[in-house]
Amino acid sequence: MTTPPKPPQPDPRLFNGDLAPAPERTWGTYSIFALWMSDTHAISNYAFAASLFVLGLPAWEVFVALLAGITIVHWLMNRMGHAGHRTGVPYPVLARASWGVYGANIPALLRAVMAVAWYGIQTWLASTAVVLLTLQLAPGLEAYHHNSVLGLSTLGWVAFLVMWGLQAVLLTRGMEFIRKVQDFATGPVVWLVVLALAVYLVVKAGGDISLTRSLTGLSGPAQAKQSLIAVSLTVATFLTLVLNYADFARFTPDHRSYRRGNLIGLPVNFTAFAVVAVLVTAGTISVFGEAIYDPVKVIQKIDNPVVTVIGALAFIVATIGINVVANFVSPAYDFANLAPKHLNFKRGGMITAVLAIVVMPWKLYSSALVIQYFLGALGAFLGPLVAILLVDYHLVRRGRIDVDALFSADARGAYFYRRGYNPKAVAAFLPAAAVCAALALVPAFAVVAPFSWIFGMGLAGALYALLSRRERAAADAGPVPEGIIPSQVGAVVAEEPAASEEAGPLAPPVPVKGS
């Protein structure tokens, strides 16, 4: 009797258990919905919707613009979710198909650098709420809030490190623990607080809230222009998560799970949250005599210690939620992809957390120059990166990915290209990123700056499709397959005995059980 051949061993320079195809796929519809609650229930998204109303768009037009933008995002998420679900691998591994097994570190590091900066900024912003909460409960600590050590007061440092430590404990517990926290805490709790604010202000205003009036008397053409900008900026805001959505879709058991979760969590939930944000903002005009589009300031205006404490805690939780989804998971995988033999998801996550202190995010955030030119330029790269991944998967390869070859450093491998780099991806990315960055940052192009991602995405996608026309012609015709791609690499992981994290590259991945 012949012994069946063992599955091929993945290259340890490209493989560990966390980067392997997901062994368990149990992130159901609710978990994906909760993922989007965690991300969309951010103070920044609330303020964005409210600011459109304050600028002069009637409330109904705010809803229409945001619904149009988030519908585009929903379409993009489903396209990227298709690739993540079928391959079962995280974003930096999926990127190896288009960039090469080593070249994928280029888009992975671009995403990681941006995520580290924003992870630090969001942690610091949450710590300012901790400071306010502390001073509300213990006013005697005010004396520790007036000195400066590297730009932060003593109380500011304590609050920042407390937030940093809480997140580190949460985030290094793995994806299953993250799922449980987002399912039952970060998303729902903010809904409760914001709905309570809306009810309170509508009652206080006696129902005297207009959803059709422009606060500034903005003209029709000006309203149309502002609406188009709102649509574009909504999409641009979510491009980071479009890029690495495979990190989450890989854990879904079927296409229906991520599609339904995306539908409820994006067009439905995001628009509903925007409705409530505008209602609260309109209510502040009637109740306080001014438009307040920062929910934390609304809570402070109510001037009730209990309300202040509950509200501050809610928005601290919300900030943790968006940090987990948008700024932690991706760089944890991205750094692990650099040296899989030595770095796994948890270690990549700790690198992210440590770097978030080193960059001193309060200094980054206080510098308009840094925000505009550093983070703005990195953001301009997102459109081209998204385009290359989607065009490669859906148009060039028609969904035919050899998952095992993603973990092979053999020079004859399907994704080795030239020394592990795909020159076609680089050739498509560089000019598109340059055009996108110029449109976003050069003052002469200010009129089209909010739409820069469209030019970058279109140019990169067209160039990559043109350069890859031979591969496209060789691909099988017909629709993109729906079934999960079988992988012998997954079998290697399944056959390995349970081991500690120190066991090396074949230590089993964090199990994802659940909803």
Side-chain angles (χ1 to χ4, degrees):
M1 186 174 181
T2 58
T3 304
K6 287 189 175 182
Q9 292 294 313
D11 194 298
R13 294 170 294 179
L14 299 171
F15 178 86
N16 65 32
D18 290 327
L19 298 179
E24 297 184 29
R25 296 167 171 266
T26 46
W27 277 50
T29 296
Y30 179 77
S31 288
I32 297 298
F33 167 52
L35 167 80
W36 294 125
M37 280 199 294
S38 295
D39 182 65
T40 58
H41 295 177
I43 293 174
S44 56
N45 287 328
Y46 175 105
F48 176 53
S51 66
L52 294 173
F53 178 65
V54 173
L55 284 172
L57 285 185
W60 70 269
E61 206 164 334
V62 173
F63 307 152
V64 170
L66 295 183
L67 179 59
I70 206 66
T71 299
I72 296 170
V73 172
H74 173 247
W75 185 86
L76 291 170
M77 289 295 180
N78 280 347
R79 304 287 79 72
M80 195 67 80
H82 194 285
H85 166 75
R86 291 191 63 239
T87 60
V89 297
Y91 154 65
V93 176
L94 179 64
R96 293 173 186 173
S98 51
W99 285 83
V101 292
Y102 298 134
N105 284 319
I106 297 172
L109 282 177
L110 286 172
R111 176 70 177 93
V113 168
M114 187 160 35
V116 165
W118 282 112
Y119 180 84
I121 288 170
Q122 292 283 5
T123 302
W124 170 69
L125 288 174
S127 75
T128 62
V130 174
V131 170
L132 290 174
L133 181 62
T134 302
L135 293 177
Q136 178 74 42
L137 298 174
L141 295 176
E142 178 73 34
Y144 298 97
H145 192 42
H146 296 292
N147 62 327
S148 178
V149 180
L150 295 177
L152 278 186
S153 67
T154 300
L155 186 58
W157 267 107
V158 171
F160 178 74
L161 292 176
V162 166
M163 282 302 304
W164 185 90
L166 285 174
Q167 290 182 127
V169 169
L170 163 66
L171 301 173
T172 54
R173 296 288 298 275
M175 287 293 285
E176 167 61 4
F177 190 74
I178 288 172
R179 183 193 67 80
K180 289 179 179 178
V181 171
Q182 70 166 27
D183 279 6
F184 304 108
T186 56
V189 73
V190 178
W191 253 128
L192 292 175
V193 171
V194 174
L195 282 173
L197 276 178
V199 171
Y200 171 81
L201 290 170
V202 169
V203 171
K204 271 282 194 180
D208 182 24
I209 294 175
S210 173
L211 299 181
T212 58
R213 185 178 68 243
S214 169
L215 291 183
T216 61
L218 208 60
S219 67
Q223 288 183 19
K225 176 186 175 183
Q226 194 60 53
S227 292
L228 287 175
I229 291 174
V231 172
S232 183
L233 290 180
T234 300
V235 179
T237 299
F238 281 88
L239 282 179
T240 50
L241 278 164
V242 172
L243 188 62
N244 72 287
Y245 186 51
D247 293 344
F248 305 98
R250 66 191 292 243
F251 295 119
T252 56
D254 49 48
H255 291 287
R256 186 173 59 179
S257 295
Y258 71 80
R259 286 171 182 163
R260 285 185 175 179
N262 288 347
L263 177 64
I264 302 169
L266 290 169
V268 176
N269 179 72
F270 180 81
T271 307
F273 191 69
V275 169
V276 175
V278 171
L279 278 175
V280 172
T281 306
T284 62
I285 298 171
S286 298
V287 176
F288 302 121
E290 60 176 322
I292 306 172
Y293 50 89
D294 182 341
V296 176
K297 290 183 179 178
V298 175
I299 289 169
Q300 289 176 325
K301 273 281 189 179
I302 295 175
D303 196 24
N304 182 307
V306 175
V307 172
T308 301
V309 170
I310 293 174
L313 286 173
F315 288 112
I316 288 168
V317 169
T319 304
I320 293 175
I322 191 174
N323 239 5
V324 170
V325 173
N327 302 319
F328 178 85
V329 170
S330 181
Y333 282 126
D334 296 337
F335 287 126
N337 192 64
L338 281 176
K341 190 173 182 178
H342 306 289
L343 299 175
N344 58 13
F345 179 84
K346 293 182 181 181
R347 291 171 185 166
M350 284 311 300
I351 291 173
T352 301
V354 170
L355 290 177
I357 299 177
V358 174
V359 298
M360 290 192 287
W362 49 91
K363 291 185 178 289
L364 285 179
Y365 196 72
S366 64
S367 170
L369 195 65
V370 170
I371 292 293
Q372 182 178 358
Y373 288 102
F374 175 60
L375 296 178
L378 283 174
F381 297 158
L382 293 175
L385 292 176
V386 168
I388 290 170
L389 258 67
L390 290 180
V391 168
D392 181 77
Y393 177 80
H394 287 279
L395 191 62
V396 174
R397 303 185 189 281
R398 304 297 297 161
R400 276 78 175 177
I401 300 285
D402 182 348
V403 172
D404 291 340
L406 296 173
F407 299 95
S408 171
D410 189 327
R412 297 164 296 178
Y415 310 119
F416 194 79
Y417 301 111
R418 292 186 188 173
R419 299 183 180 180
Y421 293 80
N422 184 5
K424 294 174 182 177
V426 177
F429 172 72
L430 290 178
V435 169
C436 201
L439 293 177
L441 302 175
V442 176
F445 301 121
V447 174
V448 295
F451 310 98
S452 61
W453 66 270
I454 299 175
F455 294 95
M457 182 177 283
L459 182 57
L463 284 174
Y464 188 78
L466 180 65
L467 293 170
S468 305
R469 59 190 180 278
R470 289 185 181 177
E471 291 87 342
R472 182 183 175 188
D476 293 337
V480 176
E482 294 284 308
I484 292 173
I485 301 172
S487 167
Q488 290 183 302
V489 166
V492 171
V493 177
E495 289 175 4
E496 285 296 310
S500 70
E501 284 187 355
E502 307 303 324
L506 296 182
V510 178
V512 181
K513 302 174 182 175
S515 69

